[in-house]
Amino acid sequence: VALTFDDGPHPTVTPQILDILQKYDVQATFFLVGQRVQQHPEIVQRIVEEGHEIGNHTWSHPNITTLPINGVQQEFIKTNEAIIAATNYAPTVFRPPYGATSDTLEKLLPIPSVLWSIDTLDWQHRDPQQTIAIVNKHLHNNAIILMHDIHQPTADALETIILNLQHANYDCVTASEILL
Ligand code: ZN
């Protein structure tokens, strides 16, 4: 399964998530918002140094299906440039905010979009027990699990989620490893 974290980096929550991932030697994928990359490049460097995958999640988190083509391109390119400036690494995966995309946009963007198969709704209920329960209920092989590293309850849920995955003999891989 792939653990994926969207909308960061966040100055206090993302480091806690990285600490837990490091403790259990688990790799994850972080879909980063460009303007937050610009604010916290040192956290993005840490994500890459610790072997996680990073993806482009646009500059300002718009619904890109409502933007003109050049607006989408700007959202994509500015974010890639901020990530490259912070890490010397260019993302190979994209995640459209809200999962909102189209065939036209998929053809326009140079890297594939990765959506998800388990939505924890962590941003909505903000309850670690619900996040844990939703993952357990829907867990399947090659699952791509959507969470957000900008909410403290998500960090609070992570250790139990990883222990449950390990107990059920699931390996944690990056989003691209499942996509490919
Ligand atoms: Zn998002």
Side-chain angles (χ1 to χ4, degrees), residues 6-7 31 33 57 61 95-98 146 148:
D6 287 15
D7 297 1
F31 289 96
V33 169
H57 195 45
H61 209 271
R95 178 173 275 168
Y98 317 104
L146 171 61
H148 296 81

Side-chain angles (χ1 to χ4, degrees), residues 5-27:
F5 297 96
D6 287 15
D7 297 1
H10 183 280
T12 61
V13 181
T14 306
Q16 291 173 60
I17 286 176
L18 288 169
D19 289 346
I20 297 166
L21 294 170
Q22 191 174 46
K23 179 177 172 186
Y24 291 96
D25 195 20
V26 163
Q27 304 315 129

Side-chain angles (χ1 to χ4, degrees), residues 5 10 18 40 45 109 112 114 130 133 157 167:
F5 297 96
H10 183 280
L18 288 169
H40 309 289
Q45 285 159 15
L109 295 168
V114 181
Q130 282 202 53
H167 184 72

Side-chain angles (χ1 to χ4, degrees), residues 42-118:
E42 69 294 342
I43 301 177
V44 182
Q45 285 159 15
R46 184 179 164 196
I47 293 172
V48 171
E49 276 163 16
E50 296 185 1
H52 304 293
E53 177 168 51
I54 50 178
N56 183 325
H57 195 45
T58 74
W59 181 259
S60 63
H61 209 271
N63 177 340
I64 56 172
T65 64
T66 67
L67 296 183
I69 292 294
N70 67 342
V72 176
Q73 283 169 327
Q74 275 181 23
E75 285 279 336
F76 180 88
I77 291 166
K78 252 182 111 175
T79 304
N80 256 28
E81 285 175 350
I83 291 171
I84 292 166
T87 65
N88 280 321
Y89 172 85
T92 58
V93 283
F94 176 74
R95 178 173 275 168
Y98 317 104
T101 187
S102 68
D103 288 346
T104 308
L105 291 173
E106 290 306 304
K107 282 183 198 128
L108 173 81
L109 295 168
I111 54 177
S113 288
V114 181
L115 300 182
W116 53 85
S117 65
I118 300 178

